[in-house]
Amino acid sequence: MTRRILVLGATGYTGGLVAQELLARRERPILVGRDPDALARRARELSPQQPLPTIALDVRDVGTLRRTITADDVIITTIGPFEELGRTVAEAAAEAGASYLDSAGEPSFIRWIFAKLGARAAHRGARLMPGFGHEYVSGQLAGAWALEKAADMGMPHRLEIGYFRANGSLCSLSRGTIASLAGASLQRSFTYRGGIRDERPGARSARFSIGGRNRSGFSIGTTEHLTIPEISPSLQELDVYLGWFGKASPMLSRASIAVPALRSIPGSQRLIAAVGARASTLRSTELDQPALAQSRTLVAARVFAASGHQLGAVNLRGPNQYQLTASLLAWAAVVEAHASTRAVHRRTGVLGAIQAFGLGAIRDTCRHYGLDDEDAGPGAEAPAPPLLMADGEE
């Protein structure tokens, strides 16, 4: 029997896109949120003839969450900031043995899930897949693909991944993204140096030369640090850079030197979170649609030997981050909903995209949704997304 799919944050922008994508796949998700009236409106908007089922609950209500989520559920949550509103949902999913997907991009929350919930989720038979959107599935794909290309060129020692905006502007960011960015600005971050190592957000900046143009980014902690070294054990260094802010990235990196001092001020994190929440409310509910229509994503990965010689590289270009995120979340949820929870080789715990579904399935799915290696050239045929079992078998 098909498992239930619950979309938490369904009245928000990304949550609404996810629900639309699920409906396009002939699924009838359950919409979950705090406001019953807003849920009812969204349920009618999405399915006028037969409104979708809804559940009104607050994610801070731990008791209700745990009574609601079961092992037969697939949870998709887009409710941020995740550091503030995401932990109770992830814990409830892990405890219930459910499948869990989120759109989180916050370094401290990502690391917390892997560190604190991995053993519990594995014991309960849960599959937790945080950051399962443009951030950070596309980076995992770019990194693994670049390592694959470099396989015959030498021993990989360092991997660098960068997230950039090929077109569009910061006006194409949602209110939730703005709030999450503000909340993450004072959180602890990390990188990989033969193991996970703490560092401040934006500790370093780097420049990528892509298509004859230089693009800059500053360092962030992501799922790639926690998943890709398993694919390539020889890796000793792995850095991920956020390049949304273009030429301002090096300046933002230098400004991050003040983060430890700011963090030590009592109430600073609450103040920054409040500023982010206030900034997000100044935006209309709808995004700047012209800016969003122009927005394209660019994810680059490059592999180096210990000598510094570049062994391989991949540059992925694709659609705007919100549509890609919705497509990926919906695809993974459908796979989970139709998979056998009793499969012998079904991997459980906290998983990256490739650990959960395999490089081939992730590559084919991303290509189908428009994220592809720019070296493939125009007119290259994109495969249909595989509806595989959750143990990685067709």
Side-chain angles (χ1 to χ4, degrees), residues 290-313:
L292 188 62
Q294 295 177 9
S295 179
R296 301 279 292 172
T297 59
L298 172 61
V299 184
R302 52 195 188 186
V303 182
F304 299 90
S307 65
H309 173 68
Q310 183 169 307
L311 302 176

PDB file of all heavy atoms in Angstrom, residues 290-313:
ATOM      1  N   PRO A 290       9.277  38.197 -12.590  1.00  0.00           N
ATOM      2  CA  PRO A 290      10.223  38.416 -13.697  1.00  0.00           C
ATOM      3  C   PRO A 290      11.653  38.018 -13.328  1.00  0.00           C
ATOM      4  O   PRO A 290      12.359  37.403 -14.130  1.00  0.00           O
ATOM      5  CB  PRO A 290      10.104  39.923 -13.962  1.00  0.00           C
ATOM      6  CG  PRO A 290       8.719  40.274 -13.506  1.00  0.00           C
ATOM      7  CD  PRO A 290       8.495  39.421 -12.292  1.00  0.00           C
ATOM      8  N   ALA A 291      12.071  38.357 -12.089  1.00  0.00           N
ATOM      9  CA  ALA A 291      13.415  37.977 -11.658  1.00  0.00           C
ATOM     10  C   ALA A 291      13.540  36.468 -11.547  1.00  0.00           C
ATOM     11  O   ALA A 291      14.554  35.875 -11.922  1.00  0.00           O
ATOM     12  CB  ALA A 291      13.747  38.634 -10.316  1.00  0.00           C
ATOM     13  N   LEU A 292      12.479  35.829 -11.047  1.00  0.00           N
ATOM     14  CA  LEU A 292      12.500  34.380 -10.904  1.00  0.00           C
ATOM     15  C   LEU A 292      12.546  33.699 -12.273  1.00  0.00           C
ATOM     16  O   LEU A 292      13.240  32.699 -12.461  1.00  0.00           O
ATOM     17  CB  LEU A 292      11.268  33.918 -10.131  1.00  0.00           C
ATOM     18  CG  LEU A 292      11.225  32.442  -9.734  1.00  0.00           C
ATOM     19  CD1 LEU A 292      12.380  32.105  -8.812  1.00  0.00           C
ATOM     20  CD2 LEU A 292       9.899  32.104  -9.081  1.00  0.00           C
ATOM     21  N   ALA A 293      11.816  34.252 -13.232  1.00  0.00           N
ATOM     22  CA  ALA A 293      11.795  33.662 -14.581  1.00  0.00           C
ATOM     23  C   ALA A 293      13.188  33.705 -15.215  1.00  0.00           C
ATOM     24  O   ALA A 293      13.553  32.821 -15.995  1.00  0.00           O
ATOM     25  CB  ALA A 293      10.786  34.399 -15.453  1.00  0.00           C
ATOM     26  N   GLN A 294      13.968  34.734 -14.903  1.00  0.00           N
ATOM     27  CA  GLN A 294      15.307  34.863 -15.468  1.00  0.00           C
ATOM     28  C   GLN A 294      16.343  34.040 -14.709  1.00  0.00           C
ATOM     29  O   GLN A 294      17.429  33.764 -15.217  1.00  0.00           O
ATOM     30  CB  GLN A 294      15.748  36.327 -15.444  1.00  0.00           C
ATOM     31  CG  GLN A 294      14.911  37.243 -16.331  1.00  0.00           C
ATOM     32  CD  GLN A 294      15.356  38.685 -16.207  1.00  0.00           C
ATOM     33  OE1 GLN A 294      16.374  38.988 -15.591  1.00  0.00           O
ATOM     34  NE2 GLN A 294      14.585  39.589 -16.778  1.00  0.00           N
ATOM     35  N   SER A 295      16.008  33.673 -13.478  1.00  0.00           N
ATOM     36  CA  SER A 295      16.983  33.027 -12.606  1.00  0.00           C
ATOM     37  C   SER A 295      17.343  31.633 -13.104  1.00  0.00           C
ATOM     38  O   SER A 295      16.478  30.830 -13.435  1.00  0.00           O
ATOM     39  CB  SER A 295      16.418  32.934 -11.183  1.00  0.00           C
ATOM     40  OG  SER A 295      17.334  32.297 -10.321  1.00  0.00           O
ATOM     41  N   ARG A 296      18.643  31.361 -13.159  1.00  0.00           N
ATOM     42  CA  ARG A 296      19.148  30.044 -13.522  1.00  0.00           C
ATOM     43  C   ARG A 296      20.238  29.667 -12.530  1.00  0.00           C
ATOM     44  O   ARG A 296      20.938  30.523 -11.990  1.00  0.00           O
ATOM     45  CB  ARG A 296      19.736  30.052 -14.936  1.00  0.00           C
ATOM     46  CG  ARG A 296      18.762  30.447 -16.020  1.00  0.00           C
ATOM     47  CD  ARG A 296      17.886  29.292 -16.442  1.00  0.00           C
ATOM     48  NE  ARG A 296      18.667  28.270 -17.133  1.00  0.00           N
ATOM     49  CZ  ARG A 296      18.166  27.078 -17.480  1.00  0.00           C
ATOM     50  NH1 ARG A 296      16.938  26.767 -17.153  1.00  0.00           N
ATOM     51  NH2 ARG A 296      18.903  26.214 -18.130  1.00  0.00           N
ATOM     52  N   THR A 297      20.372  28.383 -12.280  1.00  0.00           N
ATOM     53  CA  THR A 297      21.367  27.928 -11.325  1.00  0.00           C
ATOM     54  C   THR A 297      22.620  27.438 -12.047  1.00  0.00           C
ATOM     55  O   THR A 297      22.566  26.947 -13.173  1.00  0.00           O
ATOM     56  CB  THR A 297      20.816  26.786 -10.459  1.00  0.00           C
ATOM     57  OG1 THR A 297      20.420  25.699 -11.309  1.00  0.00           O
ATOM     58  CG2 THR A 297      19.626  27.244  -9.653  1.00  0.00           C
ATOM     59  N   LEU A 298      23.738  27.565 -11.373  1.00  0.00           N
ATOM     60  CA  LEU A 298      25.023  27.101 -11.874  1.00  0.00           C
ATOM     61  C   LEU A 298      25.773  26.490 -10.691  1.00  0.00           C
ATOM     62  O   LEU A 298      25.981  27.154  -9.680  1.00  0.00           O
ATOM     63  CB  LEU A 298      25.817  28.255 -12.478  1.00  0.00           C
ATOM     64  CG  LEU A 298      27.273  27.985 -12.875  1.00  0.00           C
ATOM     65  CD1 LEU A 298      27.349  26.898 -13.937  1.00  0.00           C
ATOM     66  CD2 LEU A 298      27.937  29.260 -13.372  1.00  0.00           C
ATOM     67  N   VAL A 299      26.143  25.235 -10.812  1.00  0.00           N
ATOM     68  CA  VAL A 299      26.873  24.535  -9.759  1.00  0.00           C
ATOM     69  C   VAL A 299      28.136  23.955 -10.377  1.00  0.00           C
ATOM     70  O   VAL A 299      28.068  23.224 -11.378  1.00  0.00           O
ATOM     71  CB  VAL A 299      26.031  23.410  -9.124  1.00  0.00           C
ATOM     72  CG1 VAL A 299      26.793  22.764  -7.971  1.00  0.00           C
ATOM     73  CG2 VAL A 299      24.696  23.957  -8.637  1.00  0.00           C
ATOM     74  N   ALA A 300      29.276  24.295  -9.797  1.00  0.00           N
ATOM     75  CA  ALA A 300      30.557  23.864 -10.349  1.00  0.00           C
ATOM     76  C   ALA A 300      31.296  22.993  -9.339  1.00  0.00           C
ATOM     77  O   ALA A 300      31.209  23.209  -8.133  1.00  0.00           O
ATOM     78  CB  ALA A 300      31.413  25.079 -10.703  1.00  0.00           C
ATOM     79  N   ALA A 301      32.026  22.010  -9.849  1.00  0.00           N
ATOM     80  CA  ALA A 301      32.875  21.169  -9.007  1.00  0.00           C
ATOM     81  C   ALA A 301      34.195  20.938  -9.714  1.00  0.00           C
ATOM     82  O   ALA A 301      34.227  20.755 -10.938  1.00  0.00           O
ATOM     83  CB  ALA A 301      32.193  19.833  -8.712  1.00  0.00           C
ATOM     84  N   ARG A 302      35.272  20.952  -8.959  1.00  0.00           N
ATOM     85  CA  ARG A 302      36.586  20.700  -9.534  1.00  0.00           C
ATOM     86  C   ARG A 302      37.404  19.863  -8.556  1.00  0.00           C
ATOM     87  O   ARG A 302      37.353  20.062  -7.338  1.00  0.00           O
ATOM     88  CB  ARG A 302      37.295  22.007  -9.879  1.00  0.00           C
ATOM     89  CG  ARG A 302      37.365  23.028  -8.763  1.00  0.00           C
ATOM     90  CD  ARG A 302      37.743  24.397  -9.271  1.00  0.00           C
ATOM     91  NE  ARG A 302      38.001  25.329  -8.159  1.00  0.00           N
ATOM     92  CZ  ARG A 302      38.238  26.612  -8.294  1.00  0.00           C
ATOM     93  NH1 ARG A 302      38.258  27.156  -9.521  1.00  0.00           N
ATOM     94  NH2 ARG A 302      38.485  27.389  -7.255  1.00  0.00           N
ATOM     95  N   VAL A 303      38.143  18.905  -9.107  1.00  0.00           N
ATOM     96  CA  VAL A 303      38.905  17.933  -8.329  1.00  0.00           C
ATOM     97  C   VAL A 303      40.390  18.154  -8.559  1.00  0.00           C
ATOM     98  O   VAL A 303      40.828  18.354  -9.699  1.00  0.00           O
ATOM     99  CB  VAL A 303      38.533  16.490  -8.737  1.00  0.00           C
ATOM    100  CG1 VAL A 303      39.292  15.476  -7.884  1.00  0.00           C
ATOM    101  CG2 VAL A 303      37.031  16.266  -8.618  1.00  0.00           C
ATOM    102  N   PHE A 304      41.173  18.120  -7.476  1.00  0.00           N
ATOM    103  CA  PHE A 304      42.617  18.356  -7.560  1.00  0.00           C
ATOM    104  C   PHE A 304      43.389  17.211  -6.925  1.00  0.00           C
ATOM    105  O   PHE A 304      42.933  16.589  -5.957  1.00  0.00           O
ATOM    106  CB  PHE A 304      42.996  19.655  -6.837  1.00  0.00           C
ATOM    107  CG  PHE A 304      42.359  20.886  -7.409  1.00  0.00           C
ATOM    108  CD1 PHE A 304      41.124  21.318  -6.936  1.00  0.00           C
ATOM    109  CD2 PHE A 304      42.971  21.607  -8.414  1.00  0.00           C
ATOM    110  CE1 PHE A 304      40.514  22.450  -7.452  1.00  0.00           C
ATOM    111  CE2 PHE A 304      42.378  22.749  -8.945  1.00  0.00           C
ATOM    112  CZ  PHE A 304      41.141  23.167  -8.455  1.00  0.00           C
ATOM    113  N   ALA A 305      44.585  16.941  -7.464  1.00  0.00           N
ATOM    114  CA  ALA A 305      45.522  16.018  -6.838  1.00  0.00           C
ATOM    115  C   ALA A 305      46.237  16.736  -5.698  1.00  0.00           C
ATOM    116  O   ALA A 305      46.125  17.960  -5.545  1.00  0.00           O
ATOM    117  CB  ALA A 305      46.532  15.524  -7.872  1.00  0.00           C
ATOM    118  N   ALA A 306      46.991  15.993  -4.909  1.00  0.00           N
ATOM    119  CA  ALA A 306      47.739  16.599  -3.802  1.00  0.00           C
ATOM    120  C   ALA A 306      48.740  17.629  -4.306  1.00  0.00           C
ATOM    121  O   ALA A 306      49.074  18.589  -3.598  1.00  0.00           O
ATOM    122  CB  ALA A 306      48.442  15.509  -3.004  1.00  0.00           C
ATOM    123  N   SER A 307      49.202  17.475  -5.535  1.00  0.00           N
ATOM    124  CA  SER A 307      50.159  18.415  -6.127  1.00  0.00           C
ATOM    125  C   SER A 307      49.518  19.742  -6.509  1.00  0.00           C
ATOM    126  O   SER A 307      50.211  20.703  -6.813  1.00  0.00           O
ATOM    127  CB  SER A 307      50.783  17.784  -7.375  1.00  0.00           C
ATOM    128  OG  SER A 307      49.789  17.574  -8.380  1.00  0.00           O
ATOM    129  N   GLY A 308      48.185  19.779  -6.540  1.00  0.00           N
ATOM    130  CA  GLY A 308      47.471  20.976  -6.977  1.00  0.00           C
ATOM    131  C   GLY A 308      47.010  20.899  -8.419  1.00  0.00           C
ATOM    132  O   GLY A 308      46.301  21.788  -8.892  1.00  0.00           O
ATOM    133  N   HIS A 309      47.396  19.841  -9.124  1.00  0.00           N
ATOM    134  CA  HIS A 309      46.985  19.673 -10.519  1.00  0.00           C
ATOM    135  C   HIS A 309      45.498  19.322 -10.585  1.00  0.00           C
ATOM    136  O   HIS A 309      45.028  18.446  -9.855  1.00  0.00           O
ATOM    137  CB  HIS A 309      47.812  18.563 -11.172  1.00  0.00           C
ATOM    138  CG  HIS A 309      47.369  18.194 -12.550  1.00  0.00           C
ATOM    139  ND1 HIS A 309      47.505  19.042 -13.629  1.00  0.00           N
ATOM    140  CD2 HIS A 309      46.776  17.062 -13.042  1.00  0.00           C
ATOM    141  CE1 HIS A 309      47.033  18.459 -14.709  1.00  0.00           C
ATOM    142  NE2 HIS A 309      46.580  17.264 -14.381  1.00  0.00           N
ATOM    143  N   GLN A 310      44.761  20.008 -11.466  1.00  0.00           N
ATOM    144  CA  GLN A 310      43.328  19.726 -11.597  1.00  0.00           C
ATOM    145  C   GLN A 310      43.116  18.436 -12.368  1.00  0.00           C
ATOM    146  O   GLN A 310      43.622  18.264 -13.471  1.00  0.00           O
ATOM    147  CB  GLN A 310      42.611  20.875 -12.294  1.00  0.00           C
ATOM    148  CG  GLN A 310      41.092  20.664 -12.387  1.00  0.00           C
ATOM    149  CD  GLN A 310      40.348  21.905 -12.821  1.00  0.00           C
ATOM    150  OE1 GLN A 310      40.494  22.966 -12.236  1.00  0.00           O
ATOM    151  NE2 GLN A 310      39.536  21.766 -13.862  1.00  0.00           N
ATOM    152  N   LEU A 311      42.333  17.525 -11.779  1.00  0.00           N
ATOM    153  CA  LEU A 311      42.091  16.219 -12.373  1.00  0.00           C
ATOM    154  C   LEU A 311      40.787  16.153 -13.157  1.00  0.00           C
ATOM    155  O   LEU A 311      40.652  15.350 -14.080  1.00  0.00           O
ATOM    156  CB  LEU A 311      42.057  15.146 -11.273  1.00  0.00           C
ATOM    157  CG  LEU A 311      43.305  15.011 -10.401  1.00  0.00           C
ATOM    158  CD1 LEU A 311      43.066  13.975  -9.313  1.00  0.00           C
ATOM    159  CD2 LEU A 311      44.511  14.635 -11.244  1.00  0.00           C
ATOM    160  N   GLY A 312      39.806  16.949 -12.795  1.00  0.00           N
ATOM    161  CA  GLY A 312      38.517  16.900 -13.460  1.00  0.00           C
ATOM    162  C   GLY A 312      37.618  18.012 -12.972  1.00  0.00           C
ATOM    163  O   GLY A 312      37.859  18.610 -11.923  1.00  0.00           O
ATOM    164  N   ALA A 313      36.577  18.297 -13.748  1.00  0.00           N
ATOM    165  CA  ALA A 313      35.644  19.367 -13.392  1.00  0.00           C
ATOM    166  C   ALA A 313      34.288  19.103 -14.041  1.00  0.00           C
ATOM    167  O   ALA A 313      34.206  18.462 -15.090  1.00  0.00           O
ATOM    168  CB  ALA A 313      36.188  20.728 -13.831  1.00  0.00           C
TER     169      ALA A 313
END
